[in-house]
Amino acid sequence: MVFYFSGTGNSQLAAKQIAGVTGDEIISVNQCLKDNAKKTFHSERPLVFVAPVYAYRLPRVVERWIRETKFEGSRNAYFVLTCGGNGGNAAAYAKKLCREIGLEFQGLASVLMPENYIALSAAPSESECAAIIERAKPVFSELAGYIQKKEPFPASPSSLGGSLLSGPLHILYYKLAIHDKGFTVSDTCVSCGKCAQRCPLNNIDLLDGRPVWKGHCTHCMACICGCPADAIEYKSITKGKRRYYITEE
Ligand SMILES: Cc1cc2nc3c(=O)[nH]c(=O)nc-3n(C[C@H](O)[C@H](O)[C@H](O)COP(=O)(O)O)c2cc1C
Ligand code: SF4
Ligand code: SF4
């Protein structure tokens, strides 16, 4: 069973690529979070968690969801993280998570996909994004091959740099930067409601047709990047920047 969380579409695409090979059912963690109901899943096939890297680890919201969800059947868990450049030492934390909740860690692979974090850096050009995605597709298929054969992923090497990024820097970054205080909306808003619909945490209400952010954001970038009118900005950091958003192929 393939579970994905995705802000702007990379991890959704990865999940589809993997499930295309393994034939697994795909479950949207975004939808599960939106529904806000404790769930039980039964799968005799390995569990595959696909998500973006957030501050050099699995997004906290995904880790929490995995902890709060009941998985019956197979105990084997694979992690496929899409990243913009550096997954740090995310594997060590996924392994620890598995140990704590009684799953058998089968490996974590970080796969380069287009950077979506426009509240911090810039997304590549459209053509670069297309090229990055084309390079990633065979990697997803290769990873799916390991899952099919029920073999663990090759171990990813840990490093001191990675440990610092996924340890202290991760904690500091979440504390200082992951919040929604910087979001604003301009007059180009057409009141379509897509930002509210797409927010996996139901963190956006529409007030007089305009989004208001309610203070429990995970910086997934779905609202700002998925707005059809480019009406949302994050502080002044995103002004003039290309938005990156895919839903499916
Ligand atoms: C809050 C946030 C934090 C991120 N942190 C990292 C990071 O630590 N390392 C990295 O390589 N990419 C990082 N990225 C980039 C995403 O992991 C990458 O673009 C991912 O493929 C986005 O997946 P999605 O489209 O499924 O949301 C971050 C993106 C966001 C939104
Ligand atoms: S997605 Fe954009 S245009 Fe639509 S309601 Fe939200 S801010 Fe307005
Ligand atoms: S408010 Fe926007 S960035 Fe924050 S979690 Fe919701 S969609 Fe993602």
Side-chain angles (χ1 to χ4, degrees), residues 185 189-195 206 209 211 227-229 231-232:
V185 60
C189 170
V190 294
S191 303
C192 68
K194 288 199 166 123
C195 49
L206 288 193
C227 170
I232 301 175

Side-chain angles (χ1 to χ4, degrees), residues 164 171 215:
L164 291 173
I171 293 166

Side-chain angles (χ1 to χ4, degrees), residues 22-164:
T22 62
D24 277 318
E25 186 185 348
I26 302 179
I27 306 287
S28 163
V29 175
N30 294 47
Q31 194 56 51
C32 294
L33 290 167
K34 271 191 104 60
D35 296 345
N36 195 23
K38 293 230 172 358
K39 296 216 170 159
T40 301
F41 293 96
H42 186 99
S43 172
E44 292 305 325
R45 306 244 326 122
L47 308 170
V48 185
F49 299 103
V50 187
V53 170
Y54 282 2
Y56 309 103
R57 280 203 221 169
L58 198 60
R60 285 188 184 180
V61 69
V62 175
E63 177 163 339
R64 200 175 313 129
W65 180 82
I66 294 173
R67 284 183 192 279
E68 290 171 356
T69 301
K70 202 167 165 200
F71 301 101
E72 293 175 349
S74 173
R75 306 312 294 156
N76 290 340
Y78 292 85
F79 295 82
V80 177
L81 300 193
T82 67
C83 73
N86 188 346
N89 203 9
Y93 291 88
K95 197 172 181 177
K96 181 169 173 281
L97 167 69
C98 287
R99 207 168 44 236
E100 288 169 1
I101 60 173
L103 294 178
E104 297 290 329
F105 181 71
Q106 298 299 308
L108 179 146
S110 298
V111 182
L112 187 71
M113 281 289 273
E115 173 66 58
N116 74 339
Y117 199 12
I118 61 165
L120 184 69
S121 43
S125 70
E126 210 169 330
S127 61
E128 281 172 298
C129 287
I132 294 169
I133 291 171
E134 284 314 305
R135 283 197 295 272
K137 282 180 182 171
V139 183
F140 296 132
S141 300
E142 196 187 329
L143 293 170
Y146 285 99
I147 299 164
Q148 269 303 70
K149 287 184 272 170
K150 298 190 177 157
E151 284 176 12
F153 288 159
S156 37
S158 60
S159 65
L160 177 62
S163 302
L164 291 173

Side-chain angles (χ1 to χ4, degrees), residues 191 204-212:
S191 303
I204 297 175
D205 281 344
L206 288 193
L207 197 68
D208 298 328
R210 299 286 180 88
V212 285

